[in-house]
Amino acid sequence: MLSTGALRAHLLAARLAGTVATSREESLRSYRLFAARDPRVLIGIDPEWSWSVRDLIGLMADKCGVSGDPRCTTGQDVIDPERTLAALDAFALRLAAVARCGGAVLIGTGHPHRLLGFYAALADALSAAGCVVLTPAHGHRVDITTRFGLRTHNLRYVRGVALVRGADGKSSGGEPGAHTHSPLPIRTALAAAAESGGPLPGLVIGDHGWVCGAGQLGFEAIGLADTDDPALFVGEAEGVVSVAVPLDDAVRSDYYLPLTRYVLNRACLSQ
């Protein structure tokens, strides 16, 4: 069993929390774009409230532990590990709740090269607990606007986790899938589930547009988010996202293994 103290030490050593790789400049740019309601940063959230850059800085200081001083414009962001631990506990509670009722879950990631293993372990544990891990719209086409223009992707499931790949089926550098913030894949998956008459998810787990897109449509959604992804924390503040866990979402994939053990133990889903 991984103790809270051991996980706190790991978060800091792996730079999942504490001083992280995300720069203050990157985060402030995201906050400015979010305040302007740029869809690239909204990633599926349609905010009910008006959010200024100052509002977002205050929110992210509260949710993540970044500097709340608008005059701080350079350097590296800092995530408070205590906030990460508290959010992981809340995340585990939602896993436990869906496992107790044997509900259907849908899991998806826009960071397959980093987070596939984390989510796949959750899929295995929830399946073993009697949950249905949904895989709707496998192989469906999703056209996503990127900085390189409109690109066609296909929705795939790897070890029960949804991701997107280029239409040619290839991923750069041998990665399992493409990095995306788009909410279009989860919208495609949920539409296919509804049209088929099959079960709809009682819980959506993931990051980026997977969480925001599902939450905006009224599905319970929980996920991980970095300091330059304000949409999940705005969604949490407005009641659209159930849990947003603050951490660096782009460190080495094996650094997330202790988090997997921790949340599964907390959720009483350890295998």
Side-chain angles (χ1 to χ4, degrees):
M1 176 179 174
L2 187 67
S3 69
T4 300
L7 182 59
R8 182 188 298 106
H10 173 73
L11 291 171
L12 294 171
R15 295 186 65 184
L16 285 156
T19 302
V20 295
T22 309
S23 71
R24 181 69 165 182
E25 293 92 334
E26 289 176 89
S27 294
L28 289 175
R29 177 179 179 274
S30 291
Y31 305 163
R32 287 191 294 270
L33 291 172
F34 191 97
R37 299 203 170 219
D38 189 311
R40 294 172 297 174
V41 182
L42 295 178
I43 57 176
I45 289 288
D46 182 15
E48 180 181 352
W49 308 337
S50 177
W51 291 88
S52 68
V53 172
R54 186 177 288 271
D55 293 333
L56 292 165
I57 291 173
L59 174 74
M60 299 302 282
D62 178 57
K63 296 288 188 178
C64 303
V66 303
S67 173
D69 185 354
R71 296 169 297 180
C72 176
T73 59
T74 61
Q76 301 307 120
D77 265 338
V78 175
I79 295 175
D80 178 4
E82 297 302 327
R83 287 173 169 83
T84 303
L85 290 166
L88 285 171
D89 287 345
F91 186 99
L93 284 174
R94 302 319 305 149
L95 295 181
V98 76
R100 278 196 302 272
C101 66
V105 297
L106 198 158
I107 307 173
T109 182
H111 268 299
H113 54 310
R114 305 295 187 189
L115 291 167
L116 178 59
F118 172 80
Y119 294 122
L122 301 186
D124 288 344
L126 289 167
S127 178
C131 293
V132 177
V133 179
L134 301 175
T135 58
H138 180 72
H140 283 211
R141 169 176 168 164
V142 185
D143 292 325
I144 299 174
T145 300
T146 73
R147 58 179 174 168
F148 306 108
L150 193 67
R151 294 289 184 268
T152 297
H153 295 76
N154 289 326
L155 180 59
R156 302 288 183 185
Y157 290 85
V158 177
R159 299 170 59 194
V161 181
L163 48 84
V164 295
R165 288 178 176 158
D168 58 5
K170 298 178 181 178
S171 298
S172 61
E175 300 291 359
H179 176 220
T180 182
H181 286 234
S182 175
L184 295 177
I186 186 64
R187 292 174 184 166
T188 300
L190 292 172
E195 290 166 8
S196 71
L200 294 173
L203 182 67
V204 175
I205 305 164
D207 46 63
H208 293 169
W210 294 94
V211 173
C212 292
Q216 188 62 45
L217 291 173
F219 293 88
E220 183 175 10
I222 62 175
L224 315 179
D226 210 330
T227 59
D228 61 348
D229 291 325
L232 280 83
F233 299 101
V234 169
E236 187 179 39
E238 293 194 353
V240 173
V241 172
S242 289
V243 180
V245 180
L247 50 72
D248 190 319
D249 59 9
V251 302
R252 280 174 32 179
S253 57
D254 57 314
Y255 287 172
Y256 298 98
L257 293 175
L259 278 70
T260 307
R261 294 196 296 271
Y262 182 84
V263 297
L264 291 180
N265 180 267
R266 287 287 197 182
C268 299
L269 291 170
S270 297
Q271 296 173 297

